[in-house]
Amino acid sequence: MAPLARAPCLQLLIGLLVLNLFCEACKKVTFNLPSRLEAGTLIGKVNLEQCLRTSDLISSTDPDFIVLDDGSLFSANAISLSHPDRNFTILLKDTQKHVQKKLLVILRSTLKKHVPEKGETVLRRSKRRWAPVPTTIMENSLGPFPMQIQQLSSDTAQKYNITYSISGPGVDQPPLNFFYIEKETGNLFVTCPIDREEYAEFKIICYARTWDGYTPDVPLVHIIRVEDDNDNPPVFNPDVCTFSVYENSRSGTIIGEMTATDRDEIGTLHTKLKYRIVSQDPVSSQFPKMFNIEGDTGVITLASPGLDREAVEQYVLLIEARDMGGQPFGLCTTGTAVIQLQDRNDHAPFCEKGLYEVYVPENTVGAKVIDIGAIDRDMPNTPAWHATFKIIKGNEDGAFRIDTNPDSNIGTLCVDKGLDYEKTKERRLEIIVNNEEPYLLAPNSRAVSQGSCVVVVKVRDVDEGPVFDPCVYILNIKECLPGGTMVGYYPARDPETGNSEDIRYGILQDPCGWITMDERGEIRTNKLLDRDAPNMNNYQCNVTVFATDRSGKTGTGTVVVNLEDENDNFPVIVQPEKIMCRDRKPICLTAVDADLPPNTVPFRFEMTDRNLEWRLVANDDRSVYLEPVNHIPFGIYNVSIMVTDNGGNRGISNVIVLVCDCTTPSDCTGVIPSRYKEPDVGPYQTPNVTLGLWAILAMILGSLLLLLILITLCACCGAAPVSKHVCDDLANQNLIISNTEAPGEEVMDPNILPVKTGNVVASNQGVGLGVKTGGQESFEMVKGGGHQTMGSIEGGGLHTLQSVKGHHTLESGRGYGHPMMDNYRYSYSEWQNFTHPRLTEEPIRGHTLIKN
């Protein structure tokens, strides 16, 4: 009974051990890896379903590693495992059941650093492969399936119980279930035929694990290549190609390229193609082989120079492309090449007839004469077919033209100018016909003659009216001719008789009214014509005249009247009033002339009289510089200058020059007296000024009245002459202003308004300084910024300019106007400089008393 009792216990113990191992497998997974991993390296695959069957969220706590849904573990970056172990956790979550699992991943580096001791021999072990070279399978293999193609074996199978598995395209990725592997043996099988053109190779990942999930060896990327089979024939795309070539091309001309493609493996005999021409339609008896094709490239060339579009417009070639280098057992296909011939101008056009004869009435303009047809064998409506007509003889005066219809190739001969029966009764025209495109001679052919024809035009006589000869008469009239002056004669003649008898003339239309024409054809001026007249806008006028013969027939002509310029204006200096400043820079004088060339420039300037103060310096054709010879004083100068134009007409211009200081601009403007100014006379006005008797008497009376006013002012403003004597003792008992000044007495004068206490008083119109010191006074007048000093005058008692009832006043009336005693104005500095060297000073109440 004891053994039977121990059996259930043993089973329970084994079950617990398996459960414990399962739990350990869900808790951690260990991978042995090299010390350095590149980015994107497959580390291994973890069975996530053992931990959590349904997991919505799968993540890694280490960003250097990526976990896929199938449990594949990849490195996100280049990793170096410097420590023996590196750990991170895979988090699994089921959001519906609210379950979370954690899986610890341990990465162990298989490379351990060992520092050899001195004298120790270092042994290095080479890495061994646990898989064969890439596997090759035949495309479209016939089986039987499943068919073993390889066996995988790991070196760690000697130490561990290894199971094998694979993943990737062809296994668990599209296309699915092409390959599988036996877990125990490592035999790799293919399950169906594979088309190389669809899948050329597969890269599957092979794993070697222990039964508890341990991966003792690195996962292997195994390549399965599909070997090509010649199962695809060449294909032309498109299968019909159209080419074009000019007719009469030379041998060897490249026409086009006809190529095919093959889906088989490139670089093998399965895709090495050869081309050949199977047939040609149509076949020429003279040139049976018209085209060649390059066998390796498919380039079509011309074999014979016998292309003629007028004989054959296009050729059709059947071209074959065969793989396997053109061997008979290779696969082949065919394509069609259509070769169209383009036209060249190898056929010259010619006229339908060689001679045409037609009648045309004289004086007919713009009428159709005859139609000339052209025949050409080239392609219609092309430059090689379109005809061009040209009159090479008989149309020297341009009386005819030819209009061509491009749709029908018919040339229409028309009359551009009226034909005169009296001059020519018959015209013979030679016409040639060509094409728009130059003629091209075909190989091995002779040159053809140019198409031509002759048209004989016979003129019919028609009774016509008088004819002016020439039809346009140019009449040049000089200006300023009196009215009624005969300026021309414009006769007409009868074309039948050739004379001008019994022909009357007249003006049909004259928009200007410049001329008249009598019945004899004489042309006269209607009035005085002046180009410079204000109403003269144009200098040319077209006048239509007519002539009528005895039968009443009329002919017209045109008189073109040109009004020519006459040298009736002399040049005039513009802006004759000039200002010259103190620097005496030359003045530029410019002249103008109302006439036209050649009666204008160049102008010649010269002085009218011998003027020693001024001279002229040439500048250009229109101007001259006026400058003084020497230094001249300020003032107004009148300079007469004669200006002559190119036609010899001359005139005198008076130039008024104001020589001014120019310190204040207003002092030099508008100061030229009117007596220096000449009145502005227009080019057609003559100065004619006359003074009457009453005007002369008024001028004389005004002058006398002005003189009387001046005399009265001088008498009223004059004063008793005061002598001024300056000697060595002039400073005796006189006061001068000193820098030291004591307080003085109050000045109580009713004519002076005191401003400050002291010796300074002011009035409304002037400022005066007065100091009263025991019988002597000194005045200093200041007006408008000027400085004036009245010196003391010797005498006893109180010294004043004018004593009026004991009050001290100025002659000008309490500061109004200027003082009239200009002879006694001296500045303070002059007086001090004169008296200081010889006088001694003693201060007296703010002033200095000068003693002998």
Side-chain angles (χ1 to χ4, degrees):
M1 293 297 295
L4 294 175
R6 287 196 294 270
C9 294
L10 183 60
Q11 292 179 356
L12 179 61
L13 182 61
I14 293 174
L16 291 174
L17 181 60
V18 171
L19 181 62
N20 185 26
L21 292 176
F22 177 77
C23 293
E24 290 295 331
C26 183
K27 289 182 179 180
K28 65 178 180 179
V29 177
T30 303
F31 293 98
N32 295 325
L33 302 174
S35 61
R36 184 170 180 82
L37 297 177
E38 299 294 335
T41 303
L42 176 64
I43 297 174
K45 191 172 183 180
V46 181
N47 191 354
L48 302 179
E49 294 181 356
Q50 293 181 357
C51 295
L52 188 61
R53 289 187 177 277
T54 58
S55 55
D56 299 331
L57 300 177
I58 303 173
S59 61
S60 171
T61 59
D62 194 337
D64 289 337
F65 300 95
I66 300 174
V67 182
L68 302 182
D69 295 340
D70 60 351
S72 299
L73 184 62
F74 292 89
S75 59
N77 304 312
I79 302 172
S80 177
L81 300 178
S82 58
H83 299 286
D85 295 336
R86 182 171 178 174
N87 305 331
F88 66 92
T89 304
I90 298 176
L91 301 178
L92 305 176
K93 292 183 181 181
D94 189 346
T95 57
Q96 296 180 356
K97 297 181 180 180
H98 302 285
V99 180
Q100 179 176 346
K101 295 289 184 179
K102 295 183 180 180
L103 177 63
L104 178 63
V105 179
I106 301 174
L107 304 179
R108 291 181 179 177
S109 175
T110 59
L111 179 61
K112 296 182 178 181
K113 295 184 179 179
H114 173 69
V115 180
E117 297 181 357
K118 185 177 181 180
E120 181 181 359
T121 303
V122 179
L123 299 177
R124 299 184 182 276
R125 181 183 179 185
S126 61
K127 184 179 180 181
R128 294 183 298 174
R129 299 178 59 87
W130 69 278
V133 296
T135 303
T136 301
I137 60 176
M138 180 60 66
E139 178 186 11
N140 300 324
S141 176
L142 300 179
F145 298 103
M147 182 176 62
Q148 182 180 354
I149 57 177
Q150 186 62 271
Q151 181 180 12
L152 303 179
S153 177
S154 176
D155 296 342
T156 58
Q158 299 176 1
K159 297 181 181 181
Y160 301 97
N161 187 9
I162 298 298
T163 59
Y164 299 94
S165 63
I166 58 176
S167 65
V171 183
D172 53 359
Q173 297 178 15
L176 299 175
N177 302 323
F178 275 26
F179 306 97
Y180 74 90
I181 191 171
E182 292 180 348
K183 294 184 177 180
E184 295 79 7
T185 62
N187 294 330
L188 184 62
F189 292 88
V190 60
T191 61
C192 61
I194 300 176
D195 187 4
R196 190 206 66 84
E197 286 72 38
E198 189 174 0
Y199 306 104
E201 68 177 16
F202 298 88
K203 292 182 179 181
I204 61 176
I205 303 173
C206 304
Y207 303 93
R209 297 188 183 92
T210 60
W211 63 277
D212 58 356
Y214 174 66
T215 57
D217 217 336
V218 178
L220 172 70
V221 178
H222 187 63
I223 299 175
I224 301 175
R225 293 192 177 94
V226 181
E227 186 176 351
D228 183 48
D229 183 26
N230 190 18
D231 57 342
N232 293 285
V235 176
F236 285 102
N237 189 18
D239 57 350
V240 177
C241 294
T242 302
F243 305 99
S244 61
V245 62
Y246 282 103
E247 63 175 335
N248 300 323
S249 297
R250 299 182 179 275
S251 301
T253 301
I254 296 177
I255 299 174
E257 184 178 3
M258 191 82 174
T259 57
T261 57
D262 198 321
R263 295 182 59 198
D264 291 328
E265 187 175 359
I266 299 175
T268 63
L269 284 175
H270 300 164
T271 56
K272 187 177 181 180
L273 307 180
K274 284 288 186 180
Y275 302 90
R276 71 183 184 92
I277 298 176
V278 178
S279 63
Q280 170 187 319
D281 183 34
V283 178
S284 174
S285 59
Q286 184 178 1
F287 302 101
K289 186 178 181 181
M290 188 69 71
F291 304 96
N292 286 331
I293 188 169
E294 179 66 27
D296 295 329
T297 62
V299 175
I300 302 173
T301 58
L302 184 62
S304 303
L307 297 179
D308 187 1
R309 191 205 63 84
E310 287 73 28
V312 179
E313 293 187 356
Q314 74 175 19
Y315 290 88
V316 179
L317 304 181
L318 185 63
I319 299 176
E320 177 191 83
R322 185 181 295 270
D323 60 12
M324 300 302 292
Q327 298 183 20
F329 53 83
L331 303 179
C332 67
T333 188
T334 57
T336 303
V338 179
I339 302 176
Q340 297 178 350
L341 303 187
Q342 292 185 357
D343 185 44
R344 276 185 171 174
N345 192 14
D346 56 343
H347 295 87
F350 55 92
C351 299
E352 293 180 348
K353 296 180 180 180
L355 179 63
Y356 297 87
E357 185 174 338
V358 64
Y359 290 88
V360 177
E362 66 173 333
N363 300 324
T364 303
V365 178
K368 170 184 173 182
V369 178
I370 195 173
D371 289 335
I372 304 173
I375 300 175
D376 198 325
R377 294 180 58 193
D378 293 318
M379 182 179 291
N381 298 321
T382 61
W385 179 80
H386 287 151
T388 59
F389 296 88
K390 183 179 180 181
I391 304 174
I392 62 174
K393 189 176 181 181
N395 192 34
E396 288 76 10
D397 57 348
F400 299 91
R401 77 172 188 274
I402 298 179
D403 298 332
T404 305
N405 187 349
D407 297 329
S408 60
N409 257 8
I410 295 177
T412 301
L413 181 64
C414 301
V415 180
D416 266 354
K417 298 179 181 180
L419 303 178
D420 192 353
Y421 176 81
E422 287 72 25
K423 290 184 178 180
T424 304
K425 296 179 177 57
E426 181 180 286
R427 301 285 292 269
R428 187 180 182 88
L429 306 177
E430 294 186 10
I431 302 174
I432 60 173
V433 58
N434 289 312
N435 292 121
E436 294 179 357
E437 183 178 312
Y439 178 74
L440 180 65
L441 187 64
N444 303 323
S445 62
R446 296 179 300 175
V448 296
S449 59
Q450 193 174 31
S452 63
C453 65
V454 176
V455 178
V456 178
V457 180
K458 295 184 178 182
V459 184
R460 289 179 178 175
D461 187 22
V462 175
D463 188 14
E464 50 191 344
V467 176
F468 285 96
D469 188 17
C471 59
V472 177
Y473 177 47
I474 307 298
L475 179 61
N476 298 322
I477 303 177
K478 292 185 178 296
E479 63 175 336
C480 299
L481 292 178
T485 303
M486 180 177 176
V487 292
Y489 176 65
Y490 191 24
R493 62 177 180 82
D494 191 338
E496 280 76 19
T497 61
N499 54 44
S500 301
E501 297 178 358
D502 298 330
I503 295 179
R504 292 176 292 107
Y505 302 89
I507 294 179
L508 184 63
Q509 184 180 5
D510 185 4
C512 304
W514 289 356
I515 62 173
T516 61
M517 190 175 190
D518 58 14
E519 293 185 354
R520 295 173 295 179
E522 294 180 356
I523 301 175
R524 301 178 183 273
T525 57
N526 190 27
K527 57 184 176 179
L528 178 66
L529 302 178
D530 191 350
R531 291 171 57 94
D532 302 325
N535 59 352
M536 186 65 66
N537 297 324
N538 298 321
Y539 306 132
Q540 185 182 81
C541 185
N542 295 336
V543 181
T544 304
V545 298
F546 67 90
T548 306
D549 60 8
R550 288 175 298 181
S551 60
K553 293 185 178 180
T554 304
T556 59
T558 302
V559 179
V560 179
V561 183
N562 294 320
L563 188 59
E564 295 182 342
D565 182 52
E566 187 74 13
N567 192 11
D568 55 345
N569 297 284
F570 58 82
V572 178
I573 295 177
V574 295
Q575 298 179 355
E577 298 176 3
K578 300 291 183 179
I579 296 176
M580 179 178 290
C581 294
R582 70 176 72 181
D583 51 5
R584 270 71 172 181
K585 291 184 177 180
I587 301 171
C588 184
L589 304 177
T590 303
V592 296
D593 196 331
D595 294 323
L596 296 178
N599 296 325
T600 55
V601 293
F603 297 142
R604 187 172 69 255
F605 299 83
E606 55 186 343
M607 310 287 282
T608 57
D609 54 359
R610 183 175 178 81
N611 195 329
L612 301 179
E613 294 180 344
W614 301 89
R615 64 184 174 190
L616 299 175
V617 179
N619 181 28
D620 54 19
D621 292 345
R622 297 180 178 271
S623 61
V624 71
Y625 285 109
L626 177 64
E627 63 180 6
V629 177
N630 298 315
H631 182 79
I632 58 176
F634 296 151
I636 300 175
Y637 298 87
N638 194 338
V639 182
S640 297
I641 300 175
M642 179 179 291
V643 186
T644 307
D645 60 18
N646 193 33
N649 196 357
R650 65 184 61 186
I652 297 176
S653 298
N654 291 328
V655 179
I656 301 173
V657 182
L658 172 60
V659 182
C660 185
D661 186 22
C662 297
T663 302
T664 304
S666 60
D667 295 342
C668 300
T669 58
V671 298
I672 299 178
S674 60
R675 67 176 179 270
Y676 291 99
K677 299 181 180 179
E678 296 181 354
D680 295 335
V681 181
Y684 305 103
Q685 296 178 358
T686 304
N688 187 12
V689 180
T690 305
L691 295 178
L693 178 60
W694 292 105
I696 297 174
L697 291 177
M699 293 174 60
I700 295 174
L701 290 176
S703 301
L704 293 176
L705 181 60
L706 179 62
L707 181 59
L708 180 60
I709 293 173
L710 292 176
I711 293 173
T712 304
L713 290 176
C714 292
C716 294
C717 297
V722 180
S723 62
K724 179 180 179 182
H725 181 69
V726 180
C727 58
D728 293 341
D729 58 351
L730 183 64
N732 187 20
Q733 295 182 354
N734 285 297
L735 293 178
I736 64 174
I737 297 175
S738 173
N739 292 333
T740 61
E741 185 177 14
E745 296 180 359
E746 295 293 333
V747 179
M748 302 299 296
D749 189 85
N751 297 324
I752 301 176
L753 296 179
V755 180
K756 297 182 181 178
T757 59
N759 60 344
V760 180
V761 295
S763 63
N764 293 334
Q765 287 77 15
V767 178
L769 293 178
V771 180
K772 183 177 181 182
T773 57
Q776 295 183 354
E777 284 188 355
S778 175
F779 288 89
E780 182 180 4
M781 294 300 298
V782 179
K783 182 180 182 298
H787 190 82
Q788 298 176 350
T789 303
M790 305 293 184
S792 297
I793 305 174
E794 286 187 297
L798 181 63
H799 299 282
T800 63
L801 297 179
Q802 184 179 359
S803 179
V804 181
K805 292 182 181 183
H807 294 283
H808 304 286
T809 62
L810 296 178
E811 183 65 25
S812 59
R814 302 176 67 181
Y816 289 91
H818 293 280
M820 300 302 297
M821 301 178 66
D822 293 339
N823 296 329
Y824 301 101
R825 290 185 296 180
Y826 288 90
S827 64
Y828 163 71
S829 59
E830 291 177 344
W831 183 261
Q832 186 181 21
N833 292 336
F834 180 78
T835 60
H836 181 70
R838 55 179 65 87
L839 299 179
T840 60
E841 300 178 359
E842 179 180 347
I844 301 176
R845 299 182 68 181
H847 293 76
T848 302
L849 179 62
I850 304 173
K851 299 180 180 180
N852 291 332

